[in-house]
Amino acid sequence: MTASVTEEIEVTAEDHRLARLAALAVSLMWVDAALPSPLPGVKPGLANIVTLLVLRRYGFATAAWVSGLRVVAGSLLFGSFLTPGFMLSVSGASASLLVLWLAQALPEKWFGAVSLSVLAAFFHIGAQLAVVALWWMPSVNLMPSTPVFAAAAWIGGVANGLLAERLLAKEYHAATA
Amino acid sequence: MVARSEVMSGLLYGVRSGDWFTAGLGAVLVLALAWHYWQPGAGERLLVKRGGNVFLETSLARDRDVTVNGPLGVTRIEVRNHRARVISDPGPRQLCVREGWISRSGQAAICLPNQVSVEVVGKAGGYDSLSY
């Protein structure tokens, strides 16, 4: 992310790649928003598939950039920048990235995209619930609703992980064919 | 556990042993949360009566100590961890103290000599049969 401010911002191939991947993630956010949700706040989180693919393909730093850009650009498109919803996105994405960073230590031989996706999903909803419980509604006991959110995270995490695994393999087959 | 080189087919393509472990752990977490927070039949509220009149109605979710003054003296009740019990009572036979922890809807500890009763009631507050 080096840019010279004197003349013109130099755009590297890496920047283009980041922008392309973030745009892909943002478009998946739109798909997410268009899908009917059984519960307010429960979404499949399809954009996280992009984060997983980028993590495995380009490494953690790129994944963090794509995730961050996705949250900011997405919020600008949805008109939610700096709103409470945006705070939830930021906290969820940050917690996901944190656990993904830690989960890199897991041996890839045994732990595939499903593991990463499930971990990320649980941390995502966990951070969001923590923000709501500790910051927004400290007087409301959210705990009885946690099983529902956890179940939604599990389903979304597994589904996204299976999809990401397929896409990674497809990429792998295409590259080696 | 499908090998990476295998033909791309099946829903579980590419899932490895550790993935089963992670997903299993997640499922256990979901079930544990549901079990803990949605315990079936667990009482919601505690009804303490003195001399047949409601002395106190409180949530079992909130830990607290209650002291009730009866004709014989003080009956001490404690609420801990969604359960309640009579810690001490001046009655001669200590039946309500020996009742131990009560947590299910309909369970009760009755200290008859001191005219104090402790009853767990459900969400709807089913006043079943409790009379002296």
Side-chain angles (χ1 to χ4, degrees):
Chain A
M1 294 306 99
T2 47
S4 80
V5 285
T6 47
E7 288 285 315
E8 219 175 85
I9 295 172
E10 287 169 35
V11 183
T12 63
E14 166 80 4
D15 294 337
H16 278 295
R17 192 167 65 207
L18 278 177
R20 217 170 27 239
L21 291 165
L24 182 63
V26 169
S27 54
L28 283 176
M29 279 173 92
W30 276 98
V31 177
D32 246 2
L35 289 171
S37 168
L39 246 181
V42 172
K43 284 188 278 184
L46 295 171
N48 297 316
I49 295 172
V50 178
T51 310
L52 291 173
L53 293 179
V54 172
L55 179 72
R56 275 286 151 90
R57 182 86 163 73
Y58 302 108
F60 180 77
T62 312
W65 264 109
V66 169
S67 183
L69 282 172
R70 190 257 297 174
V71 169
V72 174
S75 74
L76 289 173
L77 276 174
F78 283 99
S80 63
F81 186 56
L82 296 183
T83 61
F86 175 73
M87 304 299 177
L88 279 190
S89 291
V90 170
S91 58
S94 310
S96 296
L97 284 172
L98 176 75
V99 76
L100 287 176
W101 182 71
L102 293 171
Q104 285 181 301
L106 294 172
E108 209 175 318
K109 192 180 165 205
W110 295 309
F111 295 92
V114 173
S115 289
L116 297 179
S117 180
V118 168
L119 285 171
F122 273 111
F123 273 69
H124 195 274
I125 194 67
Q128 295 188 326
L129 283 173
V131 166
V132 175
L134 301 176
W135 187 15
W136 294 353
M137 300 195 289
S139 57
V140 177
N141 183 15
L142 285 175
M143 296 316 283
S145 65
T146 51
V148 175
F149 288 110
W154 190 87
I155 294 166
V158 169
N160 289 341
L162 290 172
L163 281 166
E165 196 67 76
R166 258 162 194 275
L167 291 169
L168 279 167
K170 208 166 192 172
E171 207 177 37
Y172 174 80
H173 283 293
T176 51
Chain B
M1 278 169 289
V2 184
R4 218 186 165 90
S5 55
E6 225 167 276
V7 187
M8 277 186 72
S9 63
L11 188 68
L12 299 178
Y13 177 81
V15 174
R16 285 152 243 188
S17 50
D19 293 334
W20 288 103
F21 175 76
T22 315
L25 214 63
V28 168
L29 176 70
V30 173
L31 292 177
L33 284 170
W35 183 82
H36 188 256
Y37 290 106
W38 299 344
Q39 233 167 12
E44 301 278 329
R45 304 192 63 76
L46 190 72
L47 199 61
V48 179
K49 288 188 186 175
R50 182 180 59 180
N53 303 313
V54 176
F55 174 78
L56 173 82
E57 194 179 348
T58 182
S59 170
L60 271 183
R62 212 176 108 208
D63 290 355
R64 64 185 289 180
D65 295 300
V66 183
T67 52
V68 190
N69 286 308
L72 295 184
V74 174
T75 300
R76 285 173 51 227
I77 300 152
E78 72 170 352
V79 181
R80 295 282 182 280
N81 245 333
H82 290 263
R83 301 182 303 172
R85 67 168 174 179
V86 178
I87 310 175
S88 69
D89 178 66
R93 279 180 288 175
Q94 300 286 301
L95 290 178
C96 56
V97 178
R98 278 192 247 152
E99 188 71 37
W101 290 108
I102 55 174
S103 59
R104 305 270 155 196
S105 184
Q107 282 187 314
I110 302 163
C111 308
L112 208 52
N114 206 27
Q115 297 184 13
V116 174
S117 74
V118 184
E119 188 192 6
V120 178
V121 291
K123 226 171 215 165
Y127 289 61
D128 196 359
S129 56
L130 195 72
S131 52
Y132 301 62

